[in-house]
């Protein structure tokens, strides 16, 4: 669903940005690379949603955790304000959190492209995707054992 929504958002965002600031240098050359980081961000968000959904095996309602996650993305993902506005001591920590790799870094690659930044974002996304995938597998296996123990 997120990938289906991504294309219209990119198109609308492109036209708004084009009319407000003009065309960025080499925009169409970096678009496929930037799109790859956007897909990585969508995969990271999907894994977080999966982990939050798996918490429903233990909780009656996991929706509050979804709301908390969304607020964390707003703050640490760079949606409310750029990470550069955070205190200097916290910026190195926040820059490597999975939340920035799902929101902040893909946008940064699209706007201020460099191959060093691109490979940093891609490698960070791959690392966090692997970590969150294994966390979701562990939670799922634990949930299945719990379900079988209770006779469901």
């Amino acid at each position: 669903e997120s990938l289906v929504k991504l294309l219209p958002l990119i198109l609308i965002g492109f036209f708004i940005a084009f009319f407000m600031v003009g065309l960025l240098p080499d925009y169409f050359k970096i678009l496929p690379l930037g799109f790859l980081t956007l897909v990585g961000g969508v995969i990271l968000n999907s894994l977080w949603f999966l982990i939050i959904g798996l918490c429903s095996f233990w909780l009656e309602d996991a929706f509050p955790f979804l709301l908390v996650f969304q607020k964390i993305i707003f703050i640490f993902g760079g949606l409310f304000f750029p990470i550069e506005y955070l205190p200097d001591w916290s910026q190195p920590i926040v820059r490597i959190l999975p939340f920035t790799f799902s929101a902040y870094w893909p946008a940064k690659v699209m706007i201020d492209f460099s191959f060093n930044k691109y490979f940093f974002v891609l490698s960070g996304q791959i690392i966090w995707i692997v970590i969150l995938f294994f966390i979701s597998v562990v939670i799922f296996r634990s949930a299945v054992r719990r379900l079988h123990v209770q006779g469901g």
Side-chain angles (χ1 to χ4, degrees):
E1 178 183 350
S2 297
L3 291 175
V4 171
K5 292 178 182 178
L6 191 60
L7 184 61
L9 288 173
I10 287 175
L11 291 174
I12 292 168
F14 170 77
F15 285 112
I16 290 172
F18 177 75
F19 288 117
M20 293 184 82
V21 295
L23 193 60
L24 295 172
D26 298 328
Y27 181 76
F28 290 108
K29 289 180 185 176
I30 64 162
L31 189 60
L33 300 175
F35 186 74
L36 189 59
T37 62
L38 292 174
V39 170
V42 168
I43 292 170
L44 279 171
N45 272 343
S46 298
L47 285 168
W48 278 113
F49 291 150
L50 176 65
I51 289 169
I52 291 169
L54 287 171
C55 291
S56 295
F57 279 99
W58 292 273
L59 307 169
E60 188 172 319
D61 186 14
F63 186 69
F65 291 98
L66 177 64
L67 294 176
V68 169
F69 168 73
Q70 288 174 336
K71 301 328 173 242
I72 290 172
I73 287 284
F74 288 158
I75 295 169
F76 296 119
L79 294 178
F80 274 154
F81 46 82
I83 291 174
E84 290 82 11
Y85 289 179
L86 293 172
D88 290 337
W89 63 266
S90 67
Q91 288 182 24
I93 299 166
V94 172
R95 287 180 192 277
I96 60 170
L97 291 176
F99 316 113
T100 56
F101 285 102
S102 64
Y104 175 79
W105 284 117
K108 192 80 166 172
V109 164
M110 294 290 287
I111 292 171
D112 185 25
F113 183 83
S114 73
F115 279 104
N116 287 340
K117 194 178 301 177
Y118 173 72
F119 290 120
F120 168 75
V121 173
L122 214 54
S123 61
Q125 285 180 331
I126 290 169
I127 289 168
W128 280 112
I129 286 170
V130 168
I131 291 170
L132 292 179
F133 174 77
F134 282 116
I135 290 172
S136 65
V137 167
V138 168
I139 293 173
F140 178 75
R141 287 183 179 164
S142 175
V144 167
R145 278 194 305 271
R146 182 174 189 271
L147 190 64
H148 288 301
V149 168
Q150 292 182 354

